[in-house]
Amino acid sequence: MKTATTLISLKANLFSTFVIFATVILAFGATTARAGLFDIPSEPADWNGPFVSFNSGVTINNFQQGDYFDVVDLTKQFNAGSGDAPDGPPDAFDAFDFSSHDSTDTAYSGGIDLGYNKQWGHFVAGLSFGFSGTHTSDSSEGFGFDEGFDEIDDADFATEVHSIRKLTQNWSGYAGGQVGFAWNRWLFYAMGGAAFAQVDLHTYDVASTEFLADDEGEFFVQSKSVNAINNVLTGWYAGGGVKFALSNVLTVGLEYRHNDYGDRLYHPEAHSGGQIFPGATRVGLDNNQVLFNVGILLGHLGEKPAPEPGLSKK
């Protein structure tokens, strides 16, 4: 069921991308047709100068979440439930191990690119940077159970831990260079540089312990720790694409990027009086993007089209 839902969502995203892409081209073409900007010239395109492009496409995110430990302080739980004053260290601790988790999420992506190109014959080189907006997420859920005798507090215990980790990514950016080969109205290029993205980690950890002691009797204690941690991961990107100049101003293209944002160790804080300590979790992210783009060669804005043969230029 999840696979079918993912395929339906991906088809919907692709369809939306094509619709948006076609709408932008038609809208821009309609507004510039009278000025002659949408007429495809016969001479080779000039890629020199600054440019701006708007992209729309599909992002496939690959989340990596490392294994971690949650530690429960049984002594603090016992004191909180029984009403006893803390006796001080040493405390009795119980550790719960949760395994790593990897997953993939597909979503629509849209953004803007700014850059500058310099052309020498067929060779084109330039710099560019940009931002993309998307929303992808991943979550994992784990359960742990342990029971035994707490010698420090002279009580039998049974502890269950419920742990949730949720990752979200809403935006990303890049800055780097590109080199390409220009042929007639076409530009084929490769690119690479630095990539960065905000990846948020939300944690929810609950430790529920039932105690049975000779003096205090039977009682139940529940401890919670909830965190939201924001970090920006930094890595690299590489890819390539092709563009076609519909006029001296307007371009369209198709691009592929692979972004690897590296990984980072996230440190949740302990709450509930330090009765449960959520373990540090290492988070990583990489993704693949297929993007359609519509660009404007800003250096050629305002230029008049070349006069037709046999007509004088006014």
Side-chain angles (χ1 to χ4, degrees), residues 42-301:
S42 58
E43 71 273 7
D46 180 5
W47 300 95
N48 280 296
F51 66 87
V52 59
S53 63
F54 304 91
N55 61 67
S56 176
V58 173
T59 295
I60 303 174
N61 269 4
N62 303 306
F63 291 98
Q64 303 94 38
Q65 175 193 294
D67 52 7
Y68 62 96
F69 288 92
D70 276 0
V71 177
V72 180
D73 190 326
L74 296 175
T75 299
K76 287 187 177 180
Q77 278 196 322
F78 183 88
N79 291 335
S82 65
D84 292 348
D87 296 327
D91 286 0
F93 295 96
D94 201 0
F96 295 82
D97 183 19
F98 296 96
S99 60
S100 60
H101 174 77
D102 296 342
S103 71
T104 299
D105 189 28
T106 302
Y108 167 79
S109 176
I112 184 172
D113 308 299
L114 296 169
Y116 188 94
N117 281 327
K118 181 67 178 175
Q119 182 172 356
W120 299 271
H122 290 291
F123 179 74
V124 179
L127 299 174
S128 62
F129 66 94
F131 290 89
S132 295
T134 186
H135 179 75
T136 57
S137 62
D138 164 68
S139 62
S140 64
E141 188 172 12
F143 294 90
F145 178 79
D146 190 26
E147 60 182 349
F149 181 74
D150 180 0
E151 296 181 354
I152 295 178
D153 302 303
D154 291 328
D156 292 314
F157 72 91
T159 300
E160 180 180 86
V161 175
H162 181 200
S163 180
I164 296 177
R165 296 289 184 269
K166 182 178 180 180
L167 299 169
T168 58
Q169 187 251 324
N170 294 307
W171 64 265
S172 62
Y174 77 94
Q178 56 191 31
V179 294
F181 179 82
W183 177 73
N184 201 354
R185 310 295 298 174
W186 297 89
L187 175 63
F188 304 89
Y189 60 95
M191 58 184 179
F196 44 92
Q198 179 169 327
V199 180
D200 301 334
L201 174 66
H202 300 266
T203 70
Y204 177 78
D205 298 274
V206 179
S208 304
T209 304
E210 185 176 2
F211 291 97
L212 178 59
D214 292 337
D215 296 334
E216 290 80 1
E218 184 177 357
F219 56 92
F220 178 81
V221 180
Q222 186 176 79
S223 309
K224 295 182 181 180
S225 181
V226 180
N227 289 273
I229 309 169
N230 305 323
N231 271 325
V232 175
L233 303 184
T234 304
W236 58 272
Y237 77 95
V242 57
K243 291 183 179 181
F244 181 78
L246 294 172
S247 73
N248 292 333
V249 174
L250 181 66
T251 69
V252 293
L254 177 65
E255 188 172 280
Y256 165 77
R257 298 180 194 168
H258 175 75
N259 307 280
D260 190 329
Y261 301 104
D263 57 65
R264 187 167 180 176
L265 195 63
Y266 287 64
H267 295 275
E269 297 180 357
H271 299 286
S272 298
Q275 297 170 15
I276 179 171
F277 298 88
T281 307
R282 185 166 295 278
V283 171
L285 172 66
D286 65 84
N287 63 29
N288 295 285
Q289 294 179 300
V290 178
L291 303 170
F292 301 96
N293 60 67
V294 176
I296 301 173
L297 301 176
L298 300 175
H300 299 298
L301 281 176

